[in-house]
Amino acid sequence: MERIVLVSDADTPLGRELVRLFTARGHQVAALVGDARASEFPGTGSRAPLVVPWSRRSPAGARAAVLSTLNRFGVLEEAVVPGALPSPPALPHELASVDIERAMDQGLKGPIFLVRELLGVFLRRGQGVLSLVCFSERRDDEPGPALDQAVQEGWQGFAAGVLDAYAEKSVFINGFKAAGVGHEEAAAFVDRSLEDKARKITGRWFAFQPRGGILGRR
């Protein structure tokens, strides 16, 4: 069934692959990007996504991106928010102030502002599907740069709090964890989980497991 789906961070490899998979299924997609270049999404034909500029640094940017989507499609049924973009690998004492600010803006503040706007839209509508994706090519047991770990764990903690806070609401909200895999595998996992179960249940964590099931409880 055709759905109207917003995908944030569509200018990242994971976001681009999610957009490709959703458009291939026939969904109408709003692709949020920091740089509105339609060439990021070649070969989508008549189902080309709506490319929406998104300023991650401010709440106004999130609001404008959601409003642009609503103005085009009239309604929004679903959103996928990856969050936690990779941060500089420098040691803490070597980090520039601008790198710290950029990591927090792009990996935490921006996605949190966006989730706030999306929840408002879905709650007013009385329904919606929100997917919060925690993705890293680094395994959970593999140490990483301090700033990167802070952003990754901060985003996962925020996602867990959202799942708990809205467990009794009308919006279906689930978390997705994919660590130690490539972006194509992670995107396929999210797409497959949504098709199989995640649009029908709420408050769950889906964890990528190459061998075995994908459904995990909170």
Side-chain angles (χ1 to χ4, degrees):
M1 184 178 72
E2 177 185 302
R3 302 181 66 83
I4 298 172
V5 185
L6 179 149
V7 179
S8 70
D9 296 295
D11 44 359
T12 66
L14 175 62
R16 281 194 295 272
E17 183 63 12
L18 285 167
V19 170
R20 188 190 70 80
L21 291 171
F22 291 151
T23 53
R25 288 192 181 276
H27 300 319
Q28 296 279 2
V29 179
L32 272 57
V33 299
D35 183 5
R37 293 174 294 175
S39 59
E40 294 280 2
F41 309 100
T44 51
S46 61
R47 288 288 180 176
L50 171 68
V51 179
V52 181
W54 174 35
S55 173
R56 297 179 176 91
R57 299 188 63 177
S58 72
R63 190 172 302 115
V66 172
L67 286 176
S68 294
T69 303
L70 292 172
N71 288 339
R72 168 66 179 273
F73 298 117
V75 69
L76 180 58
E77 298 171 295
E78 186 172 328
V80 181
V81 183
L85 297 180
S87 302
L91 292 170
H93 75 280
E94 298 172 335
L95 287 167
S97 297
V98 67
D99 290 333
I100 298 172
E101 292 176 353
R102 185 181 297 115
M104 295 301 171
D105 285 344
Q106 296 187 350
L108 284 178
K109 283 174 58 178
I112 290 172
F113 286 144
L114 181 61
V115 167
R116 182 181 66 172
E117 294 297 322
L118 292 167
L119 285 170
V121 169
F122 290 150
L123 290 170
R124 286 192 296 272
R125 184 169 181 257
Q127 60 182 331
V129 178
L130 177 60
S131 301
L132 305 177
V133 181
C134 302
F135 164 70
S136 175
E137 294 186 352
R138 175 171 46 83
R139 299 189 314 272
D140 284 338
D141 60 353
E142 181 182 354
L147 184 58
D148 190 61
Q149 288 194 181
V151 173
Q152 292 282 347
E153 292 176 17
W155 172 244
Q156 185 171 322
F158 175 77
V162 171
L163 265 64
D164 286 334
Y166 293 87
E168 306 300 324
K169 302 296 185 182
S170 56
V171 183
F172 284 7
I173 308 174
N174 294 298
F176 298 80
K177 288 185 64 177
V181 298
H183 67 273
E184 291 184 350
E185 289 179 295
F189 158 66
V190 173
D191 175 54
R192 183 175 67 251
S193 300
L194 284 166
E195 288 295 308
D196 291 347
K197 296 180 180 179
R199 291 190 176 104
K200 304 170 186 174
I201 59 177
T202 188
R204 303 293 182 90
W205 278 101
F206 291 79
F208 182 87
Q209 297 175 3
R211 301 173 185 173
I214 59 174
L215 180 59
R217 297 183 179 273
R218 286 180 288 162

